[in-house]
Amino acid sequence: MIRNIINWMILARLPFHIAGLLPFVLGSVIAQYFTGKFDWQVFGLAILAVELIMLTIHYSSEYFDYDVDMLSARYGKSNFSGGSQILQSGVIPRKKALFASFICLIPAIFIGLLLQFRYKTGILTIPFGVIGLFLGLTYSAKPIRWAYRGFGEVVIGFCYGWLTPVTAYYLQTGKIPIIIHLISIPLSLSIFNVILINEFPDYLADRKGNKNNLVVRFGHAKMRKIYTIVSLGICISYFIAIMKGIPIKALFIFSPVILISIITAYQMYKGEYKDKKKLNNMCARTLIVNLCISISIILAILS
């Protein structure tokens, strides 16, 4: 029983959910900071819905990415790509993952309806949820499969970088001010880089499985330059966002992470991604940059 629960947790890839939960917390905290509005019931229900949506999407993606994740294991899976490999091991039947995806979807829909009609969070509540679900479910699912057409990186950047914090702010206030858009830019760019660099170790498997993401379509050499440019954009856009009203201490908290971002971008540009061990570390640091954008601002506001 315990082993089965652990397998389902691994299948959900729970550690990666923090990349979706933190931006939501950030949007809520920023709403309270600028407007003084914060409803704990709305926050609790909404963050539960976000988690259910991520479970829905992760279970669905594991089902639809089955073949390419099988190839990933064959060519050499990294810690940040290639899925959980739980379905490939056979300990959980593949169809059960798809069933679990729909099971998680049902309460997420109910919470969305409750927020809009019981808590009066605004007319955009359900549309925001529908957009997130649609883009997330079609990320890997046929016939759209954004991740297989070279749009997956942008879709994730939009959902995790813009949609999540904007929705959180909107649910608390019913408004979408300029500041939340500015904060979403470094978030969007950083999660874009997370997805981009995670495609590097999966290149052979993705190419063999016709997963035509940006790295497969344009190659490592061009995408390392894009990664470097985006890294510069993260630093610039973060600084601009801070200058528009976020406590300046956020910049001091984030400054060591800027150094990490610069070092990682330099390594990418120099082609050090060719070393498997170095690439794995670079993937980890890219994720840290993304997480610390939210963490630094949250800490600055709450401290």
Side-chain angles (χ1 to χ4, degrees):
M1 179 64 177
I2 295 177
R3 183 68 253 180
N4 193 44
I5 293 174
I6 292 174
N7 287 334
W8 278 101
M9 292 172 66
I10 295 173
L11 182 67
R13 306 189 78 189
L14 291 180
F16 294 96
H17 290 207
I18 193 171
L21 295 175
L22 272 177
F24 189 87
V25 174
L26 174 62
S28 303
V29 169
I30 291 176
Q32 192 280 329
Y33 179 73
F34 281 100
T35 69
K37 296 179 180 179
F38 189 90
D39 187 316
W40 278 103
Q41 290 185 345
V42 168
F43 175 78
L45 285 170
I47 205 164
L48 175 59
V50 170
E51 176 58 27
L52 287 167
I53 289 171
M54 286 193 292
L55 285 171
T56 298
I57 293 168
H58 277 273
Y59 287 146
S60 171
S61 295
E62 288 279 333
Y63 175 86
F64 288 107
D65 283 338
Y66 180 86
D67 292 332
V68 75
D69 286 345
M70 183 73 82
L71 289 169
S72 180
R74 184 186 306 171
Y75 287 107
K77 179 186 177 299
S78 80
N79 294 332
F80 299 91
S81 61
S84 68
Q85 295 295 314
I86 287 292
L87 298 186
Q88 286 72 17
S89 69
V91 295
I92 293 178
R94 184 183 176 191
K95 287 186 178 180
K96 282 191 176 182
L98 188 61
F99 179 72
S101 176
F102 286 110
I103 290 298
C104 293
L105 176 61
I106 294 170
I109 293 174
F110 175 77
I111 292 173
L113 294 171
L114 189 64
L115 286 170
Q116 178 156 335
F117 297 109
R118 169 65 178 82
Y119 289 89
K120 309 295 183 182
T121 50
I123 60 172
L124 294 180
T125 300
I126 291 177
F128 277 156
V130 170
I131 291 170
L133 277 170
F134 172 76
L135 292 176
L137 288 172
T138 55
Y139 181 76
S140 296
K142 296 179 180 179
I144 297 177
R145 311 194 90 180
W146 301 111
Y148 290 72
R149 301 176 184 274
F151 296 102
E153 304 85 353
V154 175
V155 166
I156 294 296
F158 172 79
C159 289
Y160 283 73
W162 184 86
L163 184 62
T164 305
V166 166
T167 300
Y169 193 105
Y170 178 80
L171 291 178
Q172 293 293 337
T173 67
K175 299 177 181 179
I176 308 175
I178 293 296
I179 184 62
I180 199 66
H181 293 301
L182 293 175
I183 290 297
S184 74
I185 295 174
L187 281 172
S188 298
L189 293 176
S190 61
I191 196 65
F192 173 93
N193 261 1
V194 168
I195 301 303
L196 184 66
I197 196 171
N198 287 348
E199 292 169 355
F200 275 62
D202 263 355
Y203 174 76
L204 291 176
D206 289 343
R207 188 177 66 176
K208 188 75 173 178
N210 295 317
K211 193 174 184 178
N212 295 315
N213 52 47
L214 292 181
V215 175
V216 171
R217 292 178 69 180
F218 299 106
H220 292 95
K222 289 183 179 179
M223 287 303 102
R224 68 180 171 87
K225 295 178 182 178
I226 296 298
Y227 178 95
T228 304
I229 293 170
V230 171
S231 295
L232 178 61
I234 293 169
C235 297
I236 294 173
S237 59
Y238 181 91
F239 180 78
I240 292 173
I242 295 300
M243 293 299 102
K244 294 300 181 178
I246 299 297
I248 193 66
K249 68 175 71 173
L251 186 59
F252 292 101
I253 296 172
F254 191 66
S255 56
V257 184
I258 294 177
L259 181 60
I260 291 174
S261 180
I262 293 172
I263 292 172
T264 307
Y266 177 77
Q267 287 181 298
M268 279 291 288
Y269 187 78
K270 297 295 289 184
E272 294 186 23
Y273 60 83
K274 297 173 184 177
D275 183 301
K276 186 176 180 180
K277 185 176 180 180
K278 287 184 178 180
L279 177 57
N280 192 65
N281 291 333
M282 291 158 67
C283 288
R285 292 199 299 270
T286 304
L287 179 59
I288 288 172
V289 171
N290 170 257
L291 299 180
C292 285
I293 290 172
S294 295
I295 292 171
S296 61
I297 298 174
I298 292 170
L299 289 178
I301 289 175
L302 296 181
S303 62

